Structures are given as C-alpha cells and as structure tokens.
Amino acid sequence: DPLPRSPPVRTPVRLVPGLVLLAGCSGGPKLAKVTGTVTLDDKPLPRGTLTFEMPGQRPATATIVDGKITEATTFAPGDGVPVGKHKVAVSATIDPGPAISANPGDASRPSGGNYMGGKSLIPARYNNPETSGLTADVGPGGTALKFELKSAP
C-alpha cells in the first residue's frame, strides 16, 4: 500500500518591508569625475560655478577656478557628476558684494536679477540650463569638458 498523503502545507508569504526597500536602492546614480576648462572670449573664466542638470537626477555642481573645472559634486564634495547627458548652466560674478537684506514688509526685489552677489562676468543666457546652449555627456570613466563662452550672442 502506498503511504497516505498528507495535505500540502501552505505557508503564507510575507513581504518584509525592509527587504523590498533595499532591493529598490542601488546606492544612487553612477557618478564620474569631470575635469576641463571654461573660457570667455578665449580667456580662462577666473571663477564661477557649473550646474549639471539631467531629468530624474539630483543636479551636480562644479567650481571654476582660473578657467579649470574642479570639485564636481553631487552628494559629497568631489564625488562627481551622474553619468549621462546634462544641460549645463554657468554662473560667474566679480567678487560677491555684500548680501542685500530685504525689508520684511517690502515685496520688491533689487533690480538686475543677480541680487545674491556681485556683477556677472558672463551674459545672463549662460545662467539657465534651458538657454545656455551648453551640454555635457558624462561617461562612466570620467569626462574632460571644454566650454567656450562668448560675450556676443
């Protein structure tokens, strides 16, 4: 006689929320080092900041010192820029002026648009990634960039 079969044991499946959460986190985007130069009318831009924007990613920034791109940062200083295609903005001012303290009851803004620092060294179109015309394709092994800004449109 064959042995009697016992009914199959059904164990309820329980999802452990922490494991599901961990499976969704791959440690963030792949970052790569960015180096290169930024010039204005063929001369090194003395100082400034680059902002790298890519849909779905945190923006990254890099510092411009004497025309050289340094300290590209997304999460921690110098960690790099997310790999992929970015729109880029540049901001550069003469030594920042004193901060303008707004009158709490005054809704007006200081004129000129750049009320956070000194006079801009570059045309305003470069301050916005949508109007700058600048892009960067950052590869996984790091990328050397060259941005050649012009005073005239």
Side-chain angles (χ1 to χ4, degrees):
D1 265 339
L3 295 173
R5 291 187 139 189
S6 53
V9 177
R10 297 193 184 257
T11 306
V13 176
R14 293 184 186 172
L15 295 178
V16 178
L19 291 178
V20 173
L21 180 65
L22 289 175
C25 295
S26 61
K30 170 88 173 121
L31 303 178
K33 299 294 181 189
V34 171
T35 59
T37 59
V38 182
T39 59
L40 176 64
D41 299 325
D42 302 319
K43 295 182 182 124
L45 192 62
R47 71 184 64 78
T49 303
L50 293 170
T51 303
F52 298 84
E53 292 190 1
M54 183 168 70
Q57 295 292 338
R58 178 181 180 150
T61 60
T63 304
I64 303 164
V65 178
D66 297 325
K68 297 199 182 325
I69 300 170
T70 65
E71 195 86 3
T73 300
T74 300
F75 299 103
D79 64 354
V81 173
V83 171
K85 294 182 188 299
H86 298 263
K87 288 183 179 178
V88 180
V90 183
S91 61
T93 58
I94 295 174
D95 293 326
I100 297 172
S101 54
N103 222 341
D106 184 6
S108 67
R109 289 183 136 181
S111 62
N114 184 9
Y115 59 93
M116 294 301 287
K119 182 180 182 303
S120 181
L121 295 171
I122 60 174
R125 70 180 178 274
Y126 291 118
N127 297 159
N128 183 335
E130 298 301 323
T131 61
S132 71
L134 304 174
T135 60
D137 192 358
V138 178
T143 302
L145 302 170
K146 186 174 186 179
F147 295 110
E148 298 174 327
L149 313 183
K150 300 294 177 195
S151 292

